[in-house]
Amino acid sequence: MTAMLQHPRFTRRAAVQAGAVGLLGLGMNHVRGLQALAGASAGKARAVIYIFLSGGISQHESFDPKPDAPEGIRGEFRPIATRTPGLNICEHLPLLAARSDRWSLVRSLTHPHNAHSAGHLAMLTGRSQLPPGFDPDEPKPTDWPCFASMAMALCPPRHNLPPAVVLPEKLVHVTGRTIPGQFAGAMGKERDPWFVEASHFRSSQYIHGAFPEFGFERRTGKYVPDDYRFEAPSLSLPAGVIEDRLQSRIRLLDALDGQRRGFDRAGQDLDRHRQEAVSLLLDKGVHQAFDVHGVDAKVQDRYGRNSFGWSLLMARQLVEAGVSLVQVNLGNNESWDTHENIFRNLKNFLLPPADRAISALLDDLEARGRLDSTLIVIGSEFGRTPKISVTNGGAKTPGRDHWGAVQSVFLAGGGIQGGRVIGASDKIGAYPSAAPQKPENLAATIYQSLGLPPTIHWQDKLDRPHFVYHGDPIGGLA
């Protein structure tokens, strides 16, 4: 029988520590998603880093160039040879081309959605069919749970860290729309992943990219927010509170224990999160996992001193520290949705920092002996329409439109053989022409890499069982 989720129990220790966060001054914005596993076996330590390119990276301008297609389809970029004979990718990914022996491609992933919210949900949950009551403008409690929430529920926590982390920011559009698909949904909000809000700036404009080096505005070009900073969550004690005083305050809270016995279920969950937060305060290893600015300067330079590089460096440190799944959102405000100036914006602002940071991640994991146990996945909510056109209202330069019918997905590590291509798209990159794969197949590949058995399931609040796997893992990669 597979492990099942258990309802949390309210403990005296949780109540004692429940108010400690407030007394210490630690905000709850970085600990609301901390979850403890109940009932899953430890098993072999495995990890997944899911690099999500919100907005929809073009397959033609990345991993599936079509140089023989008509001019209005092939685009301006040219293919370059990789280390793998016969495998060509975009000319603006030279570092990844030189490392093709470590990664493989799926060029035939397909789903039916051409809208951002539906595409996000499909590619962040591994479910092609929209859930009942789906709202593209607002996450709903009936949405399918995301990959990170599955990991929160079914993978063991290690070393005072939650099983799943999403960084460097939640996917919230500049219009204020919180994108569905990135939460626990039907699993219950207590299984939401831990969102590490590390990429900080305020703007009412559509600005994008790898800040601060590669920030841009779609129409005008380079743009760096004046107030930008990349900052990991503060897990330190407030000024004047040292560890012996912390213990004294916890003893003080013990005297208030009786006043907390009336907490309801929601309160119990909140107490559990606060208990975890207190332990995080005193764990130096956890602090180091979030510290990217303190890493050797040469390492930071290899990754890139920008939000792409720092995010992937933090992801590497977190999986090394014990996190099972890290989702890295590379690009705010749907940065990869290049409706206009597609070639300038990809060439100057998006592809270079991504190429550099992802290549550094591959090198780093391999050098540290972690690549074989860490699956790296790169995906988007969809690809681009085959034809380059002026599609956006007011646009004056060529761009793309949304296209769920086919996209390319990159996979490396975690037992994946390098230099392989699974499936194919047709001559113009419009539809799969061989071995079509669905989000369900990608999800199964991720769950398999985490060591979750195909028969595993989770139970909702009414004790109804729900399957985790809804398809078979992608074949031919191992």
Side-chain angles (χ1 to χ4, degrees), residues 229-259:
R229 71 188 193 279
F230 189 96
E231 183 178 79
S234 175
L235 300 177
S236 60
L237 295 171
V241 181
I242 57 178
E243 291 188 20
D244 59 344
R245 290 182 63 190
L246 168 65
Q247 299 299 336
S248 175
R249 291 189 182 197
I250 291 176
R251 287 193 295 271
L252 174 62
L253 289 170
D254 193 22
L256 305 176
D257 188 20
Q259 299 179 23

Side-chain angles (χ1 to χ4, degrees), residues 403-470:
W403 193 252
V406 74
Q407 67 169 291
S408 295
V409 174
F410 171 110
L411 301 105
I416 299 292
Q417 294 297 313
R420 297 189 178 186
V421 177
I422 306 301
S425 65
D426 59 25
K427 293 181 179 180
I428 61 171
Y431 298 96
S433 61
Q437 306 292 328
K438 295 182 177 181
E440 286 81 357
N441 303 117
L442 179 63
T445 304
I446 289 172
Y447 297 142
Q448 182 184 63
S449 188
L450 288 173
L452 301 178
T455 53
I456 198 168
H457 62 276
W458 59 275
Q459 289 176 275
D460 62 24
K461 294 179 179 179
L462 297 178
D463 290 329
R464 295 173 298 191
H466 297 264
F467 290 115
V468 172
Y469 284 70
H470 294 271

Side-chain angles (χ1 to χ4, degrees), residues 177-243:
R177 174 175 60 95
T178 299
I179 297 174
Q182 54 184 323
F183 304 99
M187 258 187 180
K189 62 186 304 181
E190 66 272 15
R191 297 294 178 185
D192 282 347
W194 189 17
F195 290 94
V196 174
E197 302 283 353
S199 190
H200 300 277
F201 73 99
R202 293 178 180 271
S203 178
S204 59
Q205 297 176 272
Y206 283 89
I207 52 177
H208 314 271
F211 302 116
E213 279 183 287
F214 296 93
F216 70 100
E217 197 275 333
R218 286 180 186 171
R219 298 184 182 182
T220 61
K222 187 173 179 64
Y223 187 105
V224 180
D226 293 334
D227 56 348
Y228 181 77
R229 71 188 193 279
F230 189 96
E231 183 178 79
S234 175
L235 300 177
S236 60
L237 295 171
V241 181
I242 57 178
E243 291 188 20

Side-chain angles (χ1 to χ4, degrees), residues 100-156:
S100 65
D101 57 321
R102 300 183 214 164
W103 51 262
S104 288
L105 296 174
V106 175
R107 284 177 166 169
S108 56
L109 194 135
T110 182
H111 64 66
H113 308 297
N114 291 334
H116 284 294
S117 289
H120 275 85
L121 186 131
M123 293 299 293
L124 293 175
T125 69
R127 302 288 296 274
S128 297
Q129 182 179 356
L130 295 179
F134 176 72
D135 184 343
D137 297 319
E138 181 183 3
K140 294 290 186 180
T142 48
D143 287 345
W144 311 131
C146 64
F147 299 138
S149 289
M150 288 290 194
M152 287 294 281
L154 301 171
C155 294

